[in-house]
Amino acid sequence: MKRKKPLRVLVACEFSGTVRDAFLKRGHDAWSCDILNGDGRGPHIRGDARKVLAWGWDLMIAHPPCTFLAVSGARWWKGRERQQQDAIDFVHELIAAPIERVAIENPIGALSKAVRKPDQIIQPWQFGHGETKATCLWLRNLPKLTPTKIVSGRDDRIHRVPPSPHRWAIRSLTYKGIADAMAKQWG
């Protein structure tokens, strides 16, 4: 049996390395890229993802910051229209990247109107985590993710994370089960 060639994978706007590591474990050349330092355990490019879009990637999974995009923060949008438009423009640049296969991940929010309706909305409980966190996927040349392990629970723990300086980081993490499904099904 002929072995598939490893993909060059860019995981844009990821500092945790969760998605990157899932692809690395499956033998792909995967890199995370974020303006923040990475987790220190794997290949990470510190900087603006737009500067590396033309580096010959086969697949990009992008997690653009949702501060001015997620409906959960809509009450703070008034007076921040410029920041929201900048966030939308950033997503459009990611979508237009010269990369064959692209997935943009974000919560329910402004992108459904500014870009288009998402191709798929997934939940952690479909991938082995008994929690809710509706996550939209906008896909180009990728199939929808197939649930891997539907579990009971449906706890909305992520929405109840108490205020702290790290709340944004905790809420933005990709669940490992979802990352593993991306690597298996898209890799």
Coordinates of all heavy atoms in Angstrom, one line a residue, residues 103-108 112 116-123 126-127 133-140 142-148 178 181-182 185-186:
A103 N -9.9 25.8 6.5 CA -11.0 25.7 7.4 C -10.8 27.0 8.3 O -9.7 27.2 8.9 CB -10.9 24.5 8.3
I104 N -11.9 27.7 8.5 CA -11.9 28.9 9.4 C -12.8 28.5 10.5 O -14.0 28.0 10.2 CB -12.4 30.2 8.7 CG1 -11.6 30.5 7.4 CG2 -12.5 31.3 9.7 CD1 -10.2 31.0 7.6
E105 N -12.4 28.6 11.7 CA -13.2 28.2 12.9 C -13.5 29.5 13.7 O -12.6 30.3 13.9 CB -12.3 27.2 13.7 CG -12.9 26.8 15.0 CD -12.6 27.7 16.2 OE1 -11.6 28.5 16.1 OE2 -13.4 27.7 17.1
N106 N -14.7 29.6 14.1 CA -15.1 30.7 15.0 C -16.5 30.4 15.6 O -17.2 29.6 15.1 CB -15.2 32.0 14.2 CG -14.5 33.2 14.8 OD1 -15.2 34.1 15.3 ND2 -13.2 33.2 14.9
P107 N -16.8 31.1 16.7 CA -18.1 30.9 17.3 C -19.2 31.5 16.5 O -18.9 32.2 15.5 CB -18.0 31.6 18.7 CG -16.6 31.9 18.9 CD -15.9 31.9 17.6
I108 N -20.4 31.2 16.8 CA -21.5 31.9 16.1 C -21.4 33.4 16.3 O -21.1 33.9 17.4 CB -22.9 31.4 16.7 CG1 -23.0 29.9 16.4 CG2 -24.0 32.2 16.2 CD1 -24.2 29.2 17.0
S112 N -21.2 35.0 10.0 CA -22.4 34.4 9.2 C -23.0 35.4 8.3 O -23.5 35.1 7.2 CB -23.4 33.9 10.2 OG -22.9 32.7 10.9
R116 N -20.4 34.4 5.1 CA -21.5 33.6 4.6 C -21.9 32.6 5.8 O -21.2 32.6 6.8 CB -21.2 32.7 3.4 CG -20.1 31.8 3.5 CD -19.8 31.0 2.3 NE -18.5 30.3 2.2 CZ -18.2 29.2 2.9 NH1 -19.2 28.6 3.6 NH2 -17.0 28.6 2.8
K117 N -23.0 31.9 5.6 CA -23.3 31.0 6.7 C -22.2 29.9 6.8 O -21.6 29.6 5.7 CB -24.7 30.3 6.3 CG -25.8 31.2 6.3 CD -26.3 31.6 7.7 CE -27.5 32.5 7.6 NZ -27.7 33.3 8.8
P118 N -22.0 29.4 8.0 CA -20.9 28.4 8.1 C -21.3 27.1 7.3 O -22.5 26.8 7.2 CB -20.8 28.1 9.6 CG -22.1 28.6 10.1 CD -22.6 29.7 9.2
D119 N -20.4 26.3 6.9 CA -20.6 25.0 6.3 C -21.1 24.0 7.3 O -21.8 23.1 7.0 CB -19.4 24.5 5.6 CG -19.0 25.4 4.4 OD1 -19.8 25.5 3.5 OD2 -17.9 26.0 4.5
Q120 N -20.7 24.2 8.6 CA -21.0 23.2 9.6 C -20.9 23.9 11.0 O -20.0 24.8 11.2 CB -20.0 22.1 9.5 CG -20.2 20.9 10.5 CD -19.2 19.8 10.3 OE1 -18.2 19.9 9.7 NE2 -19.6 18.6 10.8
I121 N -21.7 23.5 11.9 CA -21.6 23.9 13.3 C -21.4 22.6 14.1 O -22.2 21.7 14.0 CB -22.8 24.6 13.8 CG1 -23.0 25.9 13.0 CG2 -22.7 25.0 15.3 CD1 -24.3 26.7 13.3
I122 N -20.3 22.5 14.9 CA -20.0 21.3 15.6 C -20.0 21.6 17.1 O -20.0 22.8 17.5 CB -18.6 20.7 15.3 CG1 -17.5 21.8 15.5 CG2 -18.6 20.2 13.8 CD1 -16.1 21.2 15.3
Q123 N -20.1 20.6 17.9 CA -20.1 20.7 19.4 C -19.1 19.8 20.0 O -18.9 18.7 19.4 CB -21.5 20.3 19.9 CG -22.6 21.3 19.6 CD -22.7 22.5 20.5 OE1 -21.9 22.6 21.5 NE2 -23.5 23.4 20.2
Q126 N -19.9 16.0 20.4 CA -19.8 15.1 19.3 C -18.5 14.5 19.1 O -18.3 13.6 18.3 CB -20.2 15.9 18.0 CG -21.6 16.5 18.0 CD -21.8 17.4 16.8 OE1 -21.0 18.3 16.6 NE2 -22.8 17.1 16.0
F127 N -17.5 14.9 19.9 CA -16.1 14.5 19.8 C -15.5 14.0 21.1 O -14.3 14.2 21.3 CB -15.3 15.6 19.1 CG -15.8 15.9 17.7 CD1 -16.7 16.9 17.6 CD2 -15.4 15.2 16.6 CE1 -17.3 17.2 16.3 CE2 -15.9 15.5 15.3 CZ -16.8 16.5 15.2
K133 N -20.3 24.0 23.2 CA -19.6 25.2 22.7 C -19.7 25.2 21.2 O -18.9 24.6 20.5 CB -18.1 25.1 23.1 CG -17.3 26.4 22.6 CD -15.8 26.2 22.9 CE -15.1 27.4 22.3 NZ -13.6 27.2 22.4
A134 N -20.8 25.8 20.7 CA -21.1 25.8 19.3 C -19.9 26.4 18.5 O -19.5 27.5 18.8 CB -22.4 26.5 19.0
T135 N -19.4 25.7 17.6 CA -18.2 26.1 16.8 C -18.5 26.0 15.4 O -18.9 24.9 14.9 CB -17.0 25.2 17.2 OG1 -16.8 25.3 18.6 CG2 -15.8 25.7 16.4
C136 N -18.5 27.1 14.7 CA -18.7 27.2 13.2 C -17.5 26.9 12.4 O -16.4 27.3 12.8 CB -19.3 28.6 12.9 SG -20.8 29.1 13.7
L137 N -17.7 26.2 11.3 CA -16.6 25.9 10.4 C -17.0 26.4 9.0 O -18.0 26.1 8.5 CB -16.3 24.4 10.3 CG -15.8 23.8 11.6 CD1 -15.7 22.3 11.5 CD2 -14.5 24.3 12.1
W138 N -16.1 27.2 8.4 CA -16.2 27.6 7.0 C -15.1 26.9 6.3 O -13.9 27.0 6.6 CB -16.0 29.1 6.9 CG -17.1 29.9 7.4 CD1 -18.2 30.5 6.7 CD2 -17.3 30.3 8.8 NE1 -19.0 31.1 7.6 CE2 -18.5 31.1 8.9 CE3 -16.6 30.1 10.0 CZ2 -19.0 31.6 10.0 CZ3 -17.1 30.7 11.2 CH2 -18.3 31.4 11.2
L139 N -15.5 26.1 5.3 CA -14.6 25.1 4.7 C -14.4 25.4 3.2 O -15.4 25.7 2.5 CB -15.2 23.7 4.9 CG -15.5 23.3 6.3 CD1 -16.2 21.9 6.3 CD2 -14.3 23.2 7.1
R140 N -13.2 25.2 2.7 CA -12.9 25.2 1.3 C -12.1 23.9 1.0 O -11.0 23.7 1.6 CB -12.0 26.4 0.9 CG -11.8 26.5 -0.6 CD -11.1 27.8 -1.0 NE -9.7 27.7 -0.7 CZ -9.0 28.7 -0.3 NH1 -9.6 29.9 -0.1 NH2 -7.7 28.6 0.0
L142 N -12.6 20.9 1.8 CA -12.6 20.0 2.9 C -14.0 19.4 3.2 O -15.0 20.2 3.1 CB -12.1 20.7 4.2 CG -10.6 21.1 4.3 CD1 -10.3 22.0 5.4 CD2 -9.7 19.8 4.3
P143 N -14.1 18.2 3.6 CA -15.4 17.6 4.0 C -15.8 18.1 5.4 O -15.0 18.5 6.2 CB -15.2 16.1 4.0 CG -13.7 16.0 4.4 CD -13.0 17.2 3.7
K144 N -17.1 18.1 5.6 CA -17.6 18.3 7.0 C -17.0 17.3 7.9 O -16.7 16.1 7.5 CB -19.1 18.3 7.0 CG -19.8 19.4 6.3 CD -21.3 19.3 6.4 CE -21.9 20.4 5.6 NZ -23.4 20.3 5.6
L145 N -16.7 17.7 9.2 CA -16.2 16.7 10.1 C -17.4 15.7 10.5 O -18.5 16.2 10.8 CB -15.7 17.4 11.4 CG -14.4 18.1 11.3 CD1 -14.1 18.8 12.6 CD2 -13.3 17.2 10.9
T146 N -17.0 14.5 10.6 CA -17.9 13.5 11.1 C -17.7 13.3 12.6 O -16.6 13.1 13.0 CB -17.7 12.1 10.3 OG1 -17.8 12.3 8.9 CG2 -18.6 11.0 10.8
P147 N -18.8 13.3 13.4 CA -18.6 13.1 14.8 C -17.9 11.8 15.1 O -18.2 10.8 14.4 CB -20.1 13.1 15.4 CG -20.8 14.0 14.4 CD -20.2 13.7 13.0
T148 N -17.1 11.8 16.1 CA -16.3 10.6 16.4 C -16.7 9.9 17.7 O -16.5 8.7 17.8 CB -14.8 11.0 16.6 OG1 -14.7 12.0 17.6 CG2 -14.2 11.4 15.2
I178 N -11.8 17.3 19.0 CA -12.1 18.0 17.8 C -10.8 18.1 17.0 O -10.8 17.9 15.8 CB -12.7 19.4 18.0 CG1 -14.1 19.3 18.6 CG2 -12.7 20.3 16.7 CD1 -14.8 20.6 19.0
A181 N -10.0 14.8 15.5 CA -10.9 14.5 14.3 C -10.5 15.3 13.1 O -10.4 14.8 12.0 CB -12.4 14.9 14.6
M182 N -10.0 16.5 13.3 CA -9.5 17.3 12.1 C -8.3 16.6 11.5 O -8.2 16.5 10.3 CB -9.1 18.7 12.6 CG -10.3 19.6 13.0 SD -9.7 21.2 13.6 CE -11.2 22.1 13.7
Q185 N -9.4 13.2 9.8 CA -10.3 13.3 8.7 C -9.8 14.2 7.6 O -10.2 14.1 6.4 CB -11.7 13.7 9.2 CG -12.4 12.7 10.1 CD -13.7 13.1 10.6 OE1 -14.5 13.8 10.0 NE2 -14.0 12.8 11.9
W186 N -9.0 15.2 8.0 CA -8.5 16.2 7.0 C -7.1 15.9 6.6 O -6.6 16.5 5.6 CB -8.7 17.6 7.5 CG -10.1 18.0 7.6 CD1 -11.2 17.4 7.1 CD2 -10.6 19.2 8.3 NE1 -12.4 18.1 7.4 CE2 -12.0 19.2 8.2 CE3 -10.0 20.2 9.1 CZ2 -12.8 20.2 8.8 CZ3 -10.8 21.2 9.6 CH2 -12.2 21.2 9.5

